[in-house]
Amino acid sequence: MKTGLVLVALLMATPAFSQWKWQWGMNYVYSNPTGTMGAYIDQAHGFSFDGGMRSPDKRWLLGAEFGYSIYGGDDSRQQYQFSDGSTAEMDVQVTNAFSNLLAVARFYPRPEGVLQPYVQSKIGYTWFRTDLNIYDPNDWDNCAPIDTDILRRDGTAIVSVGGGLQWDLSSLFSRLSPGRYYVDLGVNLINGGRVDYMNADGPEPSMTTGQRSDVQANFINTQTKVIHQHHVGYLYNSLVQMMDFRLGVTFRPRS
């Protein structure tokens, strides 16, 4: 993955790419996990930023993309019984998310006009991460959590194929210059290796293939300093398989 991103950066720095033109994009991303992953993650919502350079004939684009999506979480106030008999209410926040860093190659079969379809492939890496933050609701003037932890993180290489359509907004708004601002609609199929991940919204324990274990976290009473373990979710393992659908905007500077 790192090699692919480095190659893209080196190619863009060579004299042969001096006539290539930049473009940038930002997208809302809806992800729909499939296969075994789809049994443990319902959906994900997030964003992506991409940038790249288009060839002089405007048919090719090479670039990179970063994305971040949240697929599960839980916010609750719970009362815990500690080993010394004391109790304390804590605000517990669990966030399940993944991020992607990808090298992108895109081809435009029709690079001019109001509607510009494209096909693309991507290769890179994805990180799955679950964060835990525990807050004392009585400490209203202190934004620092009593306890914070990364409950789980893991990653794997991924590849993606897909396509989309860019729509020149100057066809709707005459005050915009043609060829600069586009609405971007896209869909991508993503596959990758096995990864461990948590989901606070996932199914309860079963013998289903893919489930690994129960996850415990330490909760701390600020008065007594007694540590108590409590269940906060389950850990799963599967191949990365999902479809993502995106809606965004693309900007191309003046030539």
Side-chain angles (χ1 to χ4, degrees):
M1 181 275 295
K2 292 181 180 179
T3 302
L5 294 175
V6 170
L7 287 175
V8 169
L10 290 175
L11 285 172
M12 291 179 178
T14 62
F17 280 76
S18 61
Q19 301 302 313
W20 290 50
K21 305 299 181 183
W22 282 100
Q23 75 172 38
W24 294 273
M26 180 175 65
N27 301 274
Y28 159 74
V29 182
Y30 167 79
S31 299
N32 179 34
T34 60
T36 302
M37 179 167 277
Y40 307 122
I41 299 177
D42 182 32
Q43 58 187 336
H45 301 271
F47 62 87
S48 70
F49 295 100
D50 60 78
M53 299 186 74
R54 296 185 75 191
S55 60
D57 64 3
K58 302 180 180 179
R59 290 186 177 274
W60 288 96
L61 177 139
L62 296 177
E65 174 187 302
F66 171 78
Y68 177 84
S69 295
I70 295 175
Y71 64 86
D74 182 67
D75 296 323
S76 62
R77 179 173 293 183
Q78 304 179 38
Q79 187 175 56
Y80 298 99
Q81 181 74 41
F82 297 98
S83 59
D84 65 348
S86 65
T87 62
E89 283 194 338
M90 297 290 173
D91 288 337
V92 180
Q93 297 181 359
V94 178
T95 304
N96 310 119
F98 61 84
S99 55
N100 302 324
L101 183 60
L102 302 159
V104 181
R106 180 182 296 176
F107 175 70
Y108 292 85
R110 192 173 66 207
E112 301 286 355
V114 173
L115 298 177
Q116 298 179 16
Y118 62 84
V119 293
Q120 64 184 6
S121 62
K122 308 176 190 179
I123 184 170
Y125 205 82
T126 185
W127 295 266
F128 281 73
R129 171 170 165 160
T130 294
D131 291 287
L132 170 72
N133 289 284
I134 303 172
Y135 300 90
D136 185 345
N138 296 318
D139 294 337
W140 58 270
D141 59 345
N142 186 354
C143 62
I146 292 171
D147 194 13
T148 182
D149 194 13
I150 300 173
L151 296 181
R152 188 68 189 183
R153 59 182 167 189
D154 196 11
T156 186
I158 58 173
V159 294
S160 170
V161 293
L165 181 70
Q166 292 182 336
W167 180 12
D168 192 336
L169 284 173
S170 67
S171 64
L172 294 178
F173 305 99
S174 58
R175 301 178 69 174
L176 296 179
S177 301
R180 297 195 66 198
Y181 301 94
Y182 294 82
V183 170
D184 196 330
L185 298 169
V187 60
N188 299 277
L189 174 65
I190 301 169
N191 286 279
R194 284 196 169 273
V195 66
D196 287 334
Y197 54 93
M198 269 190 66
N199 189 358
D201 302 323
E204 294 190 5
S206 70
M207 297 303 293
T208 306
T209 300
Q211 187 154 325
R212 294 290 296 276
S213 62
D214 172 24
V215 178
Q216 304 282 337
N218 291 331
F219 294 89
I220 303 174
N221 186 309
T222 55
Q223 302 298 320
T224 65
K225 305 302 181 184
V226 175
I227 298 175
H228 172 70
Q229 282 200 327
H230 191 80
H231 167 78
V232 293
Y234 297 100
L235 180 66
Y236 307 97
N237 177 276
S238 70
L239 296 171
V240 175
Q241 296 174 297
M242 64 180 69
M243 295 281 294
D244 78 36
F245 305 86
R246 52 189 64 201
L247 172 64
V249 293
T250 295
F251 169 70
R252 296 173 183 167
R254 295 184 185 276
S255 300

